[in-house]
Amino acid sequence: INISVFPPSNACIGRYILNMQITSCGHTYQRCLGDFYVLFNPWCADDPVYMDNQAHREEYVLNEHGILYEGVHKHITSRPWHFGQFEDGILDICLKILDMGASYHHGSDRDRCWRNDPVHVSMVVNHMISSHTTNSIMKIPENNDYLKGTKPFSWNGSVPVLQQWYNGRCRPVRYGYCGSLASVMCTVMRCLGIPSRVVTNYCFPCSIENPLGINEIFDCTGKNLCGKDKLWRYHCWNESWMARRDINQCCGDWQCLDPTPLETGRGSACSGPTWVRSIREGELDLDYDGHHMFSRVNSNYVGWLSQNNTKKPKFFCNAWPCGQQLITKSVGSEQFEDITGAYKYELGSVKNKEAYYRAYRRIHPGYCNASNCHIERELSSLKNPFLSDSGINMKLKMANCPMYGEDVQLHWLLENLHSENKNLKFNLCAQIITYSGCPMDQFWKDTVNVTLGPREVKKIPLCISYSQYGPYLCDHNIMKVVAVSDPECGEVLMVSRDIVINRPPVIVKLLSQPRLKVPCTAEISFCNPLQEDMKNCIMTLEGCGLFKEPMTIDLGTLASNQQARTIVEFTPYRLGSHRLLANFGCHKF
């Protein structure tokens, strides 16, 4: 007997058991024929996650290989990530996540009808990634202290994270960061049949007091002081494709889901789902957490100079807008796609201003009946004056693309816009900044006197040696260089630049052609570029369809300019396109 089961498009996702009842000679008994899984189906036009583009389905549902974008908006870096949604056991783990998070909205899971709604499923998954009190999948280290767990940036894929959570009795895995949280969520959503992708937002504001403003405070040396607000250099979240019946959507569209718990003034919480188009239009009453998501791409930056405990004047600067650029992996390509236009209209355009005024009135009820001119005056009074208003223009431009062990070379460009001489004294400094905007050690300071003739343009070379920044960089490969004029000279001018220090590459070379269930070898090589020893060197290898679990190789200590080569053997156990990832770590990073 051949049995076909045709689940309706509104069936609840999950594992089902198929029983057969047999009656014979007056006796009735049950026989279990087996079990099967029902998932969301983006190929079915009646399913709320239906996606009509085959190339997009292959990228956002079937592709196990992704790319995480990091760095800063002027220097975007990337690294590969294994989603691994088709690895053995991952589907059962994903359904376990729904079981553990079922009480988030529903008190109990006796009535499982919510499991046919991608909105509720996405909210449960979003909550379970890092916001659940006891059983969340991953924890973020407090105060950048991860000595009691795994380094957040050492993960290469979602599978080891999910397996460690499941095998560890659903206790949180220590530790992750926004990129790994968003990527693990992407794995779970794709595994359940919901098209998903990871998005990176550059210049991400995290403010507790003012939802549409971010404040940074500096001292007279240019040191960034630790305040309540943080300007993240980048932040990753998840987008999932679905038709939202709760807001009367008839067709699928991208919904924003941020699994990273962020402080909102009422405690920390994840955000979403929020319709991406509602963020662009400033329609904040339409959706979950609309005002939070709008502020994360539209906040105004304000910089202050702390001269004493009471006086904090604004300085002249050319501030970058928050939400400077939003990108994701392109369909069928290793390049990134700029999706900033999906979240906000072109800066300064009429539509951009209308959306901002609309959102401002909803976030600040006191301005509910205020005119656009009134709101614009209020915003102008909060912003920093431009450098050109002072008669001086300044830029910090990179002269090289530094790697670990190399000096940082910059050109400091100054232009006098007036017809009289300018004599200025500047304090320069550099300090380490975490990706989440936490200022660390200030390791370099200098003082420069600058004289500019009428309309003169001057280029001043700056150099920060590896011996100066190397001992402080650690896992944080971002530094901030600042030049600020001495307050005693009059108006305070400031220019800054975030600099990414690239890590040395790991080279992977296949020595034989991979074939299914046939042993294959590869050569992994790494060279120590520093003028010092690298201690506690470890190489971690991972690959969906290649390794059942990550392989760790202890390389010990690498002397200066020493090259480490190791031969690894693996047996591909699954057909498809596979990627071998190699991650290097040592006491330096």
Side-chain angles (χ1 to χ4, degrees):
I1 301 175
N2 293 324
I3 300 175
S4 296
V5 179
F6 190 82
S9 60
N10 63 349
C12 293
I13 65 167
R15 176 175 171 264
Y16 288 77
I17 298 174
L18 182 62
N19 290 319
M20 181 171 64
Q21 180 175 293
I22 302 173
T23 301
S24 177
C25 301
H27 297 285
T28 300
Y29 58 94
Q30 298 270 352
R31 171 168 293 181
C32 178
L33 299 182
D35 58 3
F36 62 93
Y37 296 86
V38 174
L39 305 176
F40 293 109
N41 186 1
W43 280 262
C44 174
D46 294 329
D47 199 292
V49 302
Y50 173 65
M51 181 175 268
D52 63 358
N53 188 306
Q54 176 61 18
H56 288 193
R57 289 193 293 253
E58 291 177 359
E59 179 67 49
Y60 301 131
V61 181
L62 301 181
N63 193 359
E64 293 186 85
H65 308 301
I67 296 178
L68 294 187
Y69 296 101
E70 301 170 342
V72 297
H73 76 276
K74 284 191 174 182
H75 184 167
I76 295 173
T77 61
S78 64
R79 64 188 185 98
W81 186 272
H82 276 144
F83 292 119
Q85 64 267 34
F86 300 122
E87 287 292 289
D88 290 343
I90 294 301
L91 178 54
D92 288 320
I93 295 175
C94 293
L95 295 177
K96 180 67 173 179
I97 292 171
L98 297 186
D99 293 338
M100 298 298 293
S103 61
Y104 175 54
H105 288 295
H106 302 276
S108 70
D109 200 26
R110 287 176 295 188
D111 181 8
R112 301 194 175 196
C113 63
W114 62 271
R115 297 196 183 206
N116 68 355
D117 184 355
V119 175
H120 288 292
V121 169
S122 66
M123 293 176 78
V124 170
V125 174
N126 199 30
H127 174 72
M128 281 296 298
I129 294 297
S130 193
S131 294
H132 195 283
T133 52
T134 56
N135 299 113
S136 60
I137 297 171
M138 247 183 159
K139 287 291 185 185
I140 296 177
E142 296 182 5
N143 302 318
N144 297 302
D145 180 11
Y146 42 80
L147 295 178
K148 295 181 180 179
T150 303
K151 289 183 178 180
F153 294 93
S154 65
W155 300 101
N156 289 328
S158 306
V159 174
V161 176
L162 292 169
Q163 289 175 338
Q164 185 174 327
W165 175 80
Y166 186 76
N167 297 329
R169 298 181 180 181
C170 304
R171 295 191 185 96
V173 176
R174 303 171 186 267
Y175 289 103
Y177 75 112
C178 65
S180 53
L181 266 59
S183 299
V184 169
M185 180 170 184
C186 188
T187 295
V188 176
M189 300 295 274
R190 288 186 183 184
C191 185
L192 298 176
I194 304 175
S196 296
R197 62 187 185 184
V198 178
V199 172
T200 301
N201 174 19
Y202 290 96
C203 297
F204 172 83
C206 188
S207 175
I208 299 174
E209 296 178 351
N210 183 3
L212 284 175
I214 181 80
N215 296 284
E216 278 197 321
I217 303 173
F218 298 82
D219 67 11
C220 294
T221 69
K223 181 180 179 181
N224 191 340
L225 305 178
C226 187
K228 293 181 181 180
D229 295 351
K230 298 289 186 297
L231 183 63
W232 292 35
R233 271 46 194 173
Y234 66 89
H235 180 57
C236 300
W237 61 61
N238 193 81
E239 279 186 2
S240 293
W241 181 275
M242 63 189 76
R244 298 277 303 279
R245 310 303 190 204
D246 58 321
I247 56 174
N248 299 318
Q249 284 182 354
C250 58
C251 300
D253 207 343
W254 289 114
Q255 316 293 330
C256 180
L257 293 140
D258 189 353
T260 303
L262 295 173
E263 186 60 46
T264 62
R266 300 191 303 269
S268 60
C270 56
S271 301
T274 308
W275 187 19
V276 171
R277 191 176 300 178
S278 72
I279 299 172
R280 185 179 65 178
E281 301 296 336
E283 298 286 356
L284 309 188
D285 295 337
L286 186 64
D287 218 341
Y288 300 100
D289 304 313
H291 60 294
H292 292 314
M293 297 310 304
F294 183 88
S295 65
R296 292 170 187 178
V297 296
N298 288 285
S299 286
N300 293 301
Y301 174 89
V302 186
W304 306 86
L305 187 74
S306 177
Q307 293 180 262
N308 50 52
N309 292 333
T310 57
K311 191 176 181 181
K312 288 186 176 67
K314 295 176 191 172
F315 45 74
F316 289 79
C317 70
N318 295 332
W320 290 101
C322 297
Q324 174 67 18
Q325 190 175 22
L326 293 100
I327 62 175
T328 188
K329 180 183 177 299
S330 294
V331 175
S333 168
E334 299 292 302
Q335 304 301 314
F336 67 77
E337 176 187 357
D338 191 323
I339 58 170
T340 310
Y343 281 84
K344 53 200 295 188
Y345 290 106
E346 184 179 354
L347 191 65
S349 67
V350 174
K351 287 187 175 181
N352 174 257
K353 291 182 178 180
E354 288 176 349
Y356 193 93
Y357 297 147
R358 192 179 299 122
Y360 196 90
R361 293 185 179 98
R362 285 166 170 78
I363 293 175
H364 299 286
Y367 289 83
C368 183
N369 298 316
S371 66
N372 292 347
C373 294
H374 186 185
I375 296 175
E376 189 62 43
R377 285 195 300 270
E378 181 70 18
L379 294 174
S380 299
S381 67
L382 297 175
K383 294 178 181 178
N384 288 77
F386 292 106
L387 277 172
S388 57
D389 296 336
S390 70
I392 299 288
N393 258 341
M394 294 190 295
K395 286 183 181 179
L396 286 171
K397 299 188 70 174
M398 297 301 301
N400 68 338
C401 189
M403 189 177 290
Y404 263 86
E406 297 178 349
D407 296 345
V408 176
Q409 307 283 349
L410 299 102
H411 288 147
W412 182 18
L413 305 177
L414 301 99
E415 180 184 7
N416 184 1
L417 303 177
H418 290 170
S419 301
E420 61 269 3
N421 290 334
K422 291 278 188 178
N423 296 304
L424 298 167
K425 178 182 178 182
F426 284 92
N427 297 318
L428 287 80
C429 81
Q431 71 182 123
I432 305 301
I433 299 288
T434 69
Y435 83 97
S436 57
C438 294
M440 306 291 280
D441 298 303
Q442 185 187 46
F443 58 86
W444 175 77
K445 289 194 294 185
D446 198 2
T447 301
V448 177
N449 292 301
V450 179
T451 299
L452 291 173
R455 308 289 179 181
E456 182 183 1
V457 177
K458 185 170 287 188
K459 180 193 291 185
I460 301 175
L462 301 176
C463 178
I464 304 173
S465 67
Y466 172 74
S467 61
Q468 291 173 309
Y469 74 78
Y472 302 92
L473 204 58
C474 299
D475 293 321
H476 314 294
N477 62 335
I478 302 175
M479 70 170 72
K480 187 180 187 71
V481 177
V482 176
V484 58
S485 64
D486 194 315
E488 295 180 359
C489 297
E491 297 171 334
V492 180
L493 318 178
M494 181 177 169
V495 65
S496 65
R497 176 88 186 210
D498 290 336
I499 300 170
V500 176
I501 307 298
N502 294 311
R503 294 183 178 178
V506 177
I507 300 173
V508 179
K509 182 181 179 182
L510 287 176
L511 302 180
S512 58
Q513 184 67 28
R515 298 175 61 190
L516 183 65
K517 298 182 180 179
V518 176
C520 177
T521 55
E523 180 186 80
I524 316 296
S525 59
F526 176 85
C527 183
N528 175 10
L530 307 182
Q531 300 301 313
E532 58 182 301
D533 292 348
M534 281 184 169
K535 302 174 183 178
N536 305 323
C537 298
I538 293 177
M539 191 82 72
T540 305
L541 305 177
E542 185 178 339
C544 293
L546 304 178
F547 296 93
K548 288 288 186 180
E549 57 185 32
M551 177 188 294
T552 301
I553 303 172
D554 190 349
L555 301 176
T557 299
L558 290 180
S560 174
N561 296 315
Q562 178 184 349
Q563 189 166 33
R565 285 192 177 92
T566 182
I567 304 295
V568 297
E569 184 176 285
F570 54 91
T571 302
Y573 58 88
R574 184 155 58 84
L575 288 172
S577 175
H578 305 303
R579 180 183 290 163
L580 175 60
L581 297 185
N583 189 35
F584 178 85
C586 66
H587 77 292
K588 283 288 185 182
F589 50 83

